[in-house]
Amino acid sequence: MAIEGIDLIKAAAYLGAGVAMGLGAIGPGVGEGMVGAKACEAIGRNPQQAALLTRTMLVGQAVSESTGIYSLVIALLLLFVV
Amino acid sequence: MEIELQSMIKVAAYLGGGMSIGFGAIGAAIGEGHAAAQANRALSENPELSGDIVKTMLVGQAVAESAAIFALVVAILLLFLQVPAPTVLKAASLIGAGLCIGLGALGSGVGSGMPAAEACRGIARQPQLMGRMTTTMLVGSAVCQTPAILSMVIALMLMFINFGDAPVVKAVALFGAGLCMGLGAIGSGMGSGHPAGEACKGLARQPAAAGPLTANMLVGSAVSQTPAIFAMVVALMLMFLNFGESAFNPAWAAFLGAALSTGLSAIGSGYGCGLAAGASCEGIARHPRNVGPLTTIMLVGQAVAQTPCIFGLLVSFILMFKAFPETAALAPAMALLSAGLCMGFGGIGPGLGNGMTAEGAIRWVARQSESASLLMRIMLVGQAVSQSTAIYAMVISLVLIFVI
């Protein structure tokens, strides 16, 4: 019975890891795509500011990425630590 | 035992039938509503053309309706299906068939509404283009129907092929086949609506560009179909590969995971590719001389938007072909199911995001073709960052499969 309990906990942790990373990847993916789209539009409008706009795009995407990294951290914690 | 199996078949068939038309009715209704709304708008702009506009609206709506009709046909077949030799396999494949065409009709219904809507508006603006507009609309919405037709084929195969009495784990694979094809058709069906709609809109704006516009629409929407085709490949493999010696316990989860991985990740990639193709059609209508750079950047953008679905396909293949040792524990099975869920959901966002970035870049290549190489570079950088979350999801999936 004790083994079953551990088995159940492990199963839940694995499922949780997959769901955390899977769902957690949706938001950053879409968000960074929006940033990329608007950056391309802005550079199209004003190509001589390309360097500044690329930098801004990357900073914005990095911030948006953070939630994806949170999901990754939680998934790894669920897999290896908990 | 015989009676129990017979009632299990009935339960599966009724459940499948309900889901078939329940999901299947959503998309067509939305698409047709969109077409009717735009037809009203067109009528208010040009009331004396009411005959032509209403005719176009009805033709367009009829095509969008066909997705729901597929679902209705499958639902009716499921309700009155006679199964002489009931097995668990048959029960699972009937639920799978219902889900397959139900979900599969969702995207095509919404997608087909877009060309119908834009054709109505286009005719109000350029009445003399009636014939050519109707042709473009019909070609575009026919392409949008492909994912629904693929789903219909898989659903009918699931209903009418006799899979004999393979081990029970095959039942999960058959259900998974339906689920995979149904989910995988959503994005491609919806996405193909964008190039079709933009081609109709573009025809009204720039009738002289009809040739390149139609060509671009067809290329763009053909590429948007690939995720649905990947889903069909996985569905056919789940149906016809011989998994005879797999042990039930972890294998059921591997099959379900394989179905979810490709099915879900195809949603984002299919829709993303459609966004890119739509922007390219719009661009050609605005600046027909830029057709070369526009087609190039569209194809590059679509290829990148496709990658999350390819990751999904990869994870599906690993889940289907790797042999997993038999176990009594729940955790190893959950790890495999979770791997599929993780890659499946994780592919949606990046696929969509990559498509959005491509859309933005393509729109400005049309306006400023001299910045095409700069825009291509920025697009690829932006997409690479957006891709990273799909890569995280793939890493977690692979850890769940190989390390745990």
Side-chain angles (χ1 to χ4, degrees), chain B residues 30-120:
Chain B
I30 294 176
E32 287 160 25
H34 181 52
Q38 295 300 322
N40 276 320
R41 195 166 157 197
L43 277 174
S44 73
E45 278 165 17
N46 208 342
E48 59 272 26
L49 286 172
S50 65
D52 284 352
I53 292 172
V54 171
K55 198 162 76 202
T56 311
M57 176 190 85
L58 287 175
V59 172
Q61 285 181 322
V63 181
E65 185 74 28
S66 55
I69 294 175
F70 296 158
L72 181 68
V73 168
V74 171
I76 292 174
L77 285 175
L78 280 170
L79 292 191
F80 298 107
L81 192 69
Q82 293 298 327
V83 180
T87 54
V88 182
L89 260 60
K90 199 79 228 168
S93 53
L94 292 183
I95 302 186
L99 260 181
C100 178
I101 184 64
L103 293 172
L106 230 164
S108 292
V110 176
S112 296
M114 294 184 204
E118 294 304 340
C120 291

Side-chain angles (χ1 to χ4, degrees), chain B residues 3-46:
Chain B
I3 296 165
E4 263 186 28
L5 263 181
Q6 193 58 262
S7 43
M8 200 203 264
I9 291 276
K10 281 277 164 233
V11 169
Y14 295 161
L15 203 59
M19 287 194 293
S20 165
I21 190 62
F23 286 122
I26 298 175
I30 294 176
E32 287 160 25
H34 181 52
Q38 295 300 322
N40 276 320
R41 195 166 157 197
L43 277 174
S44 73
E45 278 165 17
N46 208 342

Side-chain angles (χ1 to χ4, degrees), chain B residues 191-211:
Chain B
S192 310
H194 285 278
E198 290 297 339
C200 289
K201 197 197 257 179
L203 192 60
R205 184 179 283 151
Q206 192 79 266

Side-chain angles (χ1 to χ4, degrees), chain A residues 22-33 64 67, chain B residues 349:
Chain A
L23 293 179
I26 296 179
V30 176
E32 286 160 19
S64 169
T67 53

Side-chain angles (χ1 to χ4, degrees), chain B residues 320-374:
Chain B
M320 281 191 289
F321 293 118
K322 191 175 180 302
F324 298 102
E326 184 169 12
T327 162
L330 187 62
M334 274 309 143
L336 300 179
L337 178 62
S338 175
L341 267 178
C342 178
M343 189 61 245
F345 279 124
I348 296 179
L352 207 56
N354 286 340
M356 288 160 115
T357 303
E359 188 189 18
I362 292 166
R363 197 169 279 159
W364 277 88
V365 168
R367 288 182 176 80
Q368 305 242 3
S369 60
E370 62 277 12
S371 315
S373 61
L374 174 67

Side-chain angles (χ1 to χ4, degrees), chain B residues 260-350:
Chain B
L260 286 168
S261 173
T262 301
L264 286 171
S265 64
I267 297 178
S269 292
Y271 196 69
C273 285
L275 288 176
S280 168
C281 286
E282 188 207 348
I284 287 176
R286 278 180 199 276
H287 303 278
R289 67 186 176 341
N290 288 342
V291 59
L294 276 169
T295 309
T296 312
I297 194 167
M298 174 188 83
L299 289 174
V300 173
Q302 285 187 318
V304 180
Q306 207 77 263
T307 32
C309 184
I310 295 173
F311 294 167
L313 191 66
L314 181 79
V315 169
S316 290
F317 281 165
I318 295 172
L319 284 169
M320 281 191 289
F321 293 118
K322 191 175 180 302
F324 298 102
E326 184 169 12
T327 162
L330 187 62
M334 274 309 143
L336 300 179
L337 178 62
S338 175
L341 267 178
C342 178
M343 189 61 245
F345 279 124
I348 296 179

Side-chain angles (χ1 to χ4, degrees), chain A residues 7-8 10-11 14-15 18 21-23 25-26 28-30 32-34 37 40-41 43-45 54 61 65 69 79-80, chain B residues 329-331 334-335 338 342 345-346 349 353 356-357 361 363-364 368 374-375 378 382 385-386 388-389 392 396 399-400 404:
Chain A
D7 183 32
L8 200 62
K10 276 278 167 220
Y14 295 161
L15 197 61
M21 188 62 243
L23 293 179
I26 296 179
V30 176
E32 286 160 19
M34 284 168 147
C40 287
E41 285 177 18
I43 289 171
R45 223 172 250 143
T54 311
Q61 287 183 322
E65 182 76 28
I69 295 173
L79 289 181
F80 295 113
Chain B
L330 187 62
M334 274 309 143
S338 175
C342 178
F345 279 124
M356 288 160 115
T357 303
R363 197 169 279 159
W364 277 88
Q368 305 242 3
L374 174 67
L375 282 165
I378 304 297
V385 180
S386 166
S388 59
T389 48
Y392 298 165
I396 294 292
V399 166
L400 278 163
I404 297 298

